[in-house]
Structure formats: structure tokens, C-alpha cells
Amino acid sequence: MSLEIIDVTKKLGHFTLGPLSLRIDKDIMVILGPTGSGKTTLINLIAGIITPDNGRIISDGVDITNKEIESRRIGYVFQDPTLFPHLNVHENILFGLKRKERENGETMSLVRKIIDDLGIAHLLKRNIVGLSGGEMQKISLARMLVISPKIILLDEPLSHLDTSTKDRLRIELRGILRKQQLPTIYVTHFEEDIYALSDSIAILNNGIIEERGNLDQILNSYKKPLSPSHSFLRTVTGSGNYISGKVIGSKNDLTAFKVGSNTLFTVGKFSSHSKIGVMVKREDVILSKEKINTSARNMVYGEVVDIIHTSNVVDVFLKSDELNLVSRITKTAAEELAITIGENVYAIFKASAPHVIREEIDINKDRVPTTKRRNGEEGEQ
Amino acid sequence: MSNRNPNLTSNRVNLSGFKFTVIILLSLLILYIVYPLIGLIFITGSINLAEELTRPEIINAFVLSITTATISTLILSIFGIPLAYALARFQFKFKLLIRLVVIVPLVLPPLASGTILLNAFGPYSLLGRAIPIDFTQSVVGIILSQMYVASPFIILPAQAAFEDVPDRYETAARVLGKKKSEVFFRITIPLARTGILVGLLMAWIRSIGELGATMMMSYNPHTISIQIFEDNAIGGLKNTVPGIVWLLILSIFALTVFLFIRRHHSLKFGW
């Protein structure tokens, strides 16, 4: 399965998308861009909702540029759930199936599995009215998956959800999407989505892809302030530190994970050998020139590689082996500490500061992660 | 308390004043509608209502009105609903002109509509001479008149209902592999159902009550409106009571259907 976009352009009023070329195999590409950059236009072109002025769209080796929407087999999850209000949950899920498929035992057992994987079996007889936002998006996902799509497109599917639902669904979503082994495009402007879901990232700005790469490549590239897309990415990724590492063990609801030679701690239990990705707010990282005795679990000794002064705060960039950290301190604190580039300092943060947003149980096996959440928080039921 | 917050007090006074005005206006309007009906009760007391209600010409006229109105509404729905959908969803040349044409029967007095219909379908008209059908003084004439005056009552509510269905539902259905025609019948029509049903009901009621155009096109056979007109001319007000009572019974039935449609819809969709 693959999706190829070749030199596609589309003019809509004063806005022009492209010329744009992309190739996605069985991975999740997160397309990131500011409002009006052409993200939705791009996925609407792939879905056939609009047709390109030039260029070709190839799905699995077949040119689908001029194919009707209904014959493209696209799994599309819209920003609004778009569940049909006159049908109940089960009817919505089965909507895309033909009568013959509904009578086919194999298809129906696949449907059952999708419903079970998403944990929505208890909702099947419910009306759409009265469902929560998270439930609606899970049903949208199920409805899209049952048609066995060739390509998956997701247009900011979490944007209308509250923070806690968003966090829960985001972790589940990667497992569900990885399991499909399909070319997947996920459009977003949320920082956490990039870290939590992407195999690769494309930065779209003014209708043009300005940057492409995997997470590490993009994060390393944005540190050099060059093009407008860098400044956009800097804004999006400006609030936190994304750290990923391998879990080495859990004890007393505290998990240790390794990032290069550094061992860090986070709250919650995660399987050993799994890989987790966490976000730490810049404001949560404090700096000290000396080693101090503190209740905080995480202490990293690193070199100051950059100091950026903004209007009322100072961002201090540290590097310690494979770990990059940014600490945001006040101007007064920066003056008192008198930190200079090249010197070594301690960066300290509590085990409750890292916010786990990505978990991969076993990189070689594809399965939905069974995360044991913090504070005994249950999945949405 | 009121000394501390004079704004609150003045708001309360204004609100009461507003409520009072609304109640007065509402009461006057209701009284205006009900007063003639009260008069009807007094007249009814002086006749044998049961006998009058079953008078053959009354029953025949009432049945004829209901039958022709039902046929007119069905024919109108076949042409009117697709037209309403086109007006709501498609952009095309002369769309504004078509929108204007659609409301012409609403603006024209029914008698004037009847006159131009007679001119178009009468025995000496081009169509009347070309086609061997009695367009006037016949059931066909009644249906033609009803359809003409009732057409906006189907098209306009259906158009508004289609416009209210967000097109993202249709797009989502097509992405899920459904053809345009299937999307129309499985998504658009069910979601626009309330507006369409209300339009059908209004067109049906309008057709039953039709007088002006029918009078010009087809005075005979008598519809219930023409029967009431004639009964009044021959025997005065007393004579019209059974026809009016039948129409009142029908209006109660129509109102019940209307309320049922609205209630069912709001329960199902929460709109």
C-alpha cells in the first residue's frame, strides 16, 4: 500500500496549493501547518472532494486523480465527527458496507473486532445525540475502518475534544493507526500530535511543503532559525521538551527510562523495554549551578549550548549526551545565576513533570498499547 | 436591596412592562381568531348538525377536496422536492429567476391565478384545443388549480430544509463509498424530512382550502370551499356550518400531525 502525490496544484481564490509532491508508504505522516496553509485542501484533494488543477494522485499504483469520491476507498475522519444523526451508532458504523458485505461473516467479524478494539461495543444501540466528543470520534474511526480503506486521512480529529479525552485518545490512536499498516495522513497544529503519532512529519506553509523528515530530523532542523516554517515550528513546539527513551523498569508507580546515558523518571507504570515519549514543560525545568539535595527525581548535568532572551523570560538550551532540554527561567533568575554558554549546570524537574504522550510496547509487534494510566485514570467507557 | 442596585429594579420594571405588552397583544389576536368561532357555536345551536354534516353534497365535496388535494400534493412532491434540492445545492444560470418564478403563485391572488390558468388551459386555449382532456370543469381542473397555488408551500420549506442539512454529511457518505443518488435518499432526504413533511402538510391544507383559482377553472364538481361559497349564497350563514365544521375537524387533525412530526424530529435529532 502506498500513496503518491506528484506535482499537484490547486488554486482556490487567492490561495494556491503546490506544486506539491509526497510519497507515503505504510506509515503515519503528520502534516503540520498554520491555519490557511492548505492542510485540509491537500487531504480533500486526496479524498476527491476537490480535484487538482494539475498533477496526479496515485493510490497503490493506480491513478485515482479523476476517480469519483465513492470509488477511492478512503478512510476519512473529519474535524467534526459527521456522524449521521438519523442513524444509531451501529447503523453509522455499518453505513459504508454494501448489503452483501453485511451478510458476509468474515466482514462482520472484522467489524466486531474493530468495535472491540475501540471499546465502543456498549454504545452500539445508542443514538448519536448525547454521545461525548471522544465517543463520537471513536465511532467515526470505526465507521472509516470497516470499509477496509486503502488510505487513511485524519483532519485534526482531536481538536474539538477536552484535554483529558484528547490525551487518552491520542495514545490509543497511534496503536490503532499503526495496526492498519496503511498510508496515513494526520493533519494537525497541535504539538503533542506530532510527538505522539508521527512516523514522519511534513511542514506545510503557504501551500508548499517546506520541510520533511522524521521527528529527530525536524526537531534538530528547527533549532537553526532559517525559513518561515522554522519560526512556525518553533511556535508550535515552543512550550515543551519532547523526550523519548526506553523504559528500564517500574517501581511504586514510578517508571525509569533511559535517554542516552541519562536515566529519567516519570509517574505511571509502563512495560519494560517499551519506548515512551514524554513532554516536559520548559517552565517545569529549574536550573542550578550546584548539585542540590531535592525531592525532585530528575537531575541532568549538561552543557549550556544556547541562551535566548525574549521579552520577559530566558530560554536556556542544554545538552547532555543524547538529551536536549530547554529551561525557561525569569530574567532576574538568569541574571542572578549568571549562566553563560559553554558552562555546565544541573537541570532539575519532578517525576510528575513528564507527561507521557507516546508509548510503543514492542517496536517489532503491532498492537494497541495497554497503557496503565496515571492516578488510576480509566479509559473512556 | 433596590436602593443598592437601581439598575436591577429598572430592569424588573421593564421586563414586567414587556411581558404585559406581549400578553395584551397576544390576547387581542387570539380573541380576534376565536370570536368568529364563538359566533359559529350560536348558529350551530339552531340547526340539526348531525343531519347537516352528513348532507350528501357536503360529504361529496369534502371527499373530493381531500382526494384532489392528496393527488395534487403527491404530484407536486415528485417535481417540487427535486427542484427544491437543486435550488438549495446547485449553482446554475438563471437560479435567481427560478426562485422568483417559484414564489409567483404565492404573490398572485388565487383568483388571478385561476384567470391565467383558464387562459392557458381553457377549451379555446392552445393546450385545450391540442389535448383532448377537459382541463376545466373537471377533477383535472381542480388538481391543476390546487397544484398551481400550493406549489410554493412544498418548494420553499423543502428548499430551506435542504439548505439546513450541512453538506459535510453528504461528503462523508460519498467518502464511505455511496453514490450520489444513494446519498440523496439515505442521508439528505431523511435529514431534511421534517421540512419536507411540513411543506407537504401545508400544501395539502392549502389545496383543500383552495377557492379562487378553482372557482375560475372548475366550479363543478364542487370542492368543499366552493360548496361553502354556494351554501352561503343560497341559504345564508346557517347553511355553511357543516362545511366549516368539517374543515375545523380537518385542521385539528393536521395540527396533530404537525406537532407529531416536530416532536418526533426533536426527540430523534435533538435539534
Side-chain angles (χ1 to χ4, degrees), chain B residues 144-198:
Chain B
L144 284 175
S145 311
Q146 289 175 345
M147 279 172 56
Y148 198 81
V149 294
S151 60
F153 290 83
I154 281 198
I155 298 165
L156 299 178
Q159 183 189 334
F162 286 132
E163 280 168 355
D164 279 349
V165 175
D167 55 8
R168 63 173 194 271
Y169 290 121
E170 292 165 355
T171 308
R174 289 198 67 201
V175 173
L176 286 164
K178 301 298 171 196
K179 289 189 179 128
K180 279 180 189 167
S181 55
E182 204 175 342
V183 172
F184 180 70
F185 288 109
R186 289 186 61 185
I187 300 295
T188 320
I189 290 275
L191 289 180
R193 192 178 53 187
T194 303
I196 293 170
L197 288 176
V198 168

Side-chain angles (χ1 to χ4, degrees), chain A residues 47 49 68-70 74 76 78 80 82-87 95-98 102 127 129 143-144 147, chain B residues 168-180 182-183 186-187 190-191 193 267-271:
Chain A
I49 296 165
E68 290 285 326
I69 307 176
E70 58 266 28
I74 304 272
Y76 194 147
F78 297 80
D80 297 312
T82 64
L83 295 175
F84 308 125
H86 60 300
L87 304 178
F95 183 84
L97 295 179
K98 293 183 175 69
R102 290 180 194 208
N127 276 341
V129 178
R143 187 177 69 172
M144 167 276 272
I147 65 164
Chain B
R168 63 173 194 271
Y169 290 121
E170 292 165 355
T171 308
R174 289 198 67 201
V175 173
L176 286 164
K178 301 298 171 196
K179 289 189 179 128
K180 279 180 189 167
E182 204 175 342
V183 172
R186 289 186 61 185
I187 300 295
L191 289 180
R193 192 178 53 187
L267 278 181
K268 180 113 185 173
F269 302 156
W271 289 354

Side-chain angles (χ1 to χ4, degrees), chain A residues 158-210:
Chain A
L158 307 179
S159 62
H160 290 172
L161 307 180
D162 60 76
T163 313
S164 66
T165 311
K166 202 181 281 184
D167 286 351
R168 282 201 296 265
L169 201 52
R170 190 183 285 122
I171 287 191
E172 281 182 50
L173 202 52
R174 180 167 168 83
I176 294 159
L177 295 175
R178 288 288 293 150
K179 202 172 171 186
Q180 307 307 316
Q181 294 278 298
L182 290 171
T184 301
I185 292 184
Y186 187 102
V187 159
T188 187
H189 61 259
F190 288 111
E191 181 181 9
E192 291 88 344
D193 291 345
I194 319 167
Y195 304 124
L197 296 159
S198 66
D199 290 319
S200 64
I201 300 166
I203 310 290
L204 193 64
N205 202 17
N206 288 325
I208 301 285
I209 290 185
E210 293 194 335

